[in-house]
Amino acid sequence: MTVGTGRPAQARSAAPRAAEPPPAPGTEEPGAPEPGSPAPGAADPAGFAGIHPDDLPDGLVIADAIGRVVTFNAAASRITAVPGTKALGLPLDQALPLEDLKGRRWWALTDPYGGLATRRGQPERNLLLPGGREVLVSARYVREHPTGPVRRVVVCLRGTEARRRTERSHAELIATVAHELRSPLTSVKGFTATLLGKWERFNDEQKRLMLETVDADAGRIKRLIAELLDISRIDSGRLEVRRQPVDIAAAIGRHVQVHTTGGQSPDRFFVRIRPELPPLWADPDKIDQILGNLLENAVRHGEGTVTIEVAPAKTGDDGEEGTEVTVSDEGPGIPEESMSRVFTRFWRGSKRGGTGLGLYIVKGVVEAHGGTITVGRGPRGGAEFRFILPVGTPAHLL
């Protein structure tokens, strides 16, 4: 089926035309439209509020009452590889020869001009252009009254690249989670099955060692699930920050002690706290999460002394007081070409374990506090992470 038959309507060029000189005063014909206004019944080439169709980021195709294309903007030309000048005046199904994923001609299926009089359009769906390239298409049927004839068909086109990237990201997340969960779950299942089946064969020391392994693997699973929940909240903008007074120096001291208790030399850590720090209102659990990830990253992937500095800072354009924390090491650092990817999902500085989600979460948590975080090269060549948090005093205390 061909959409639109009969004599072609006057097609409007998609390219802006040079303005014609205004008529001399007193020579206007009675009832003639004012200079610059569209002719009666024609679409306004400037769109709404002076916006031209070519200014739109998505493809826009408009067909008139008899199915002839009267608008085909630059984005539609880019997406379909059809020049706008060639598409104007063509029947809609020729300018946009779309097929569904089963190979059926979409305009013949939907029949916008001859279908149900109550239909108002088509929701967005994946369709195929000639050559099999996918495109996201939605349509709106414009009627003068709810059950009247269709006066215009407005079609929106979008590429599928952004959706494909999102789908790939989700697939990578699922694959990473499956991989990270498999190892500890296999260990937990193996040790518990062994203990249940052969409990009497092991002495107390052997049982304790197995249970400690199970406990450590269960903790690893718990941390991974917490990371996934954080990513979900960050992506959806639902990460909550419960602000309380935070002693940042004491928090750093606790994390350093965790590493020294775990076998790191106390001499590996150097902490410098500048005087006159402003009071900091933040979520203590989230601050622990930031510090834990940054110190773990420095210990695991860096070398030499890990330096933690805390100093007062100014944040934002208004010079609001804040706290600046810098964590640096003396390792090989991060290659320049990788700097822009450090805070993305699944980025790993080395092959030494980790899910590649920690720094992505750190950035989301810092930004949820209204702060900023950057990465660079430290004074001794290693990686240097610096985050700045505003004071964050609740409004009722100001």
Side-chain angles (χ1 to χ4, degrees), residues 166-180:
T166 301
E167 290 174 352
R168 282 197 299 271
S169 177
H170 289 167
E172 290 174 358
L173 181 60
I174 292 171
T176 299
V177 171
H179 175 76
E180 294 294 328

Side-chain angles (χ1 to χ4, degrees), residues 121 138 182 385:
S138 58
R182 185 182 295 116
F385 290 88

Side-chain angles (χ1 to χ4, degrees), residues 32-91:
E34 296 182 4
S37 63
D44 181 1
F48 296 97
I51 299 176
H52 193 277
D54 286 349
D55 298 333
L56 299 175
D58 294 334
L60 175 67
V61 179
I62 301 177
D64 62 11
I66 60 171
R68 301 282 175 164
V69 173
V70 295
T71 298
F72 203 92
N73 73 347
S77 296
R78 173 178 51 79
I79 293 171
T80 63
V82 176
T85 53
K86 181 180 178 181
L88 289 171
L90 288 177

Side-chain angles (χ1 to χ4, degrees), residues 243-285:
R243 296 184 184 272
Q244 303 174 32
V246 173
D247 186 340
I248 190 72
I252 291 171
R254 288 196 304 272
H255 283 277
V256 169
Q257 185 176 8
V258 168
H259 285 282
T260 56
T261 304
Q264 294 292 327
S265 170
D267 295 335
R268 190 174 181 191
F269 299 93
F270 177 73
V271 180
R272 179 187 291 124
I273 309 295
R274 302 288 184 181
E276 300 180 359
L277 291 177
L280 175 63
W281 285 74
D283 189 319
D285 293 335

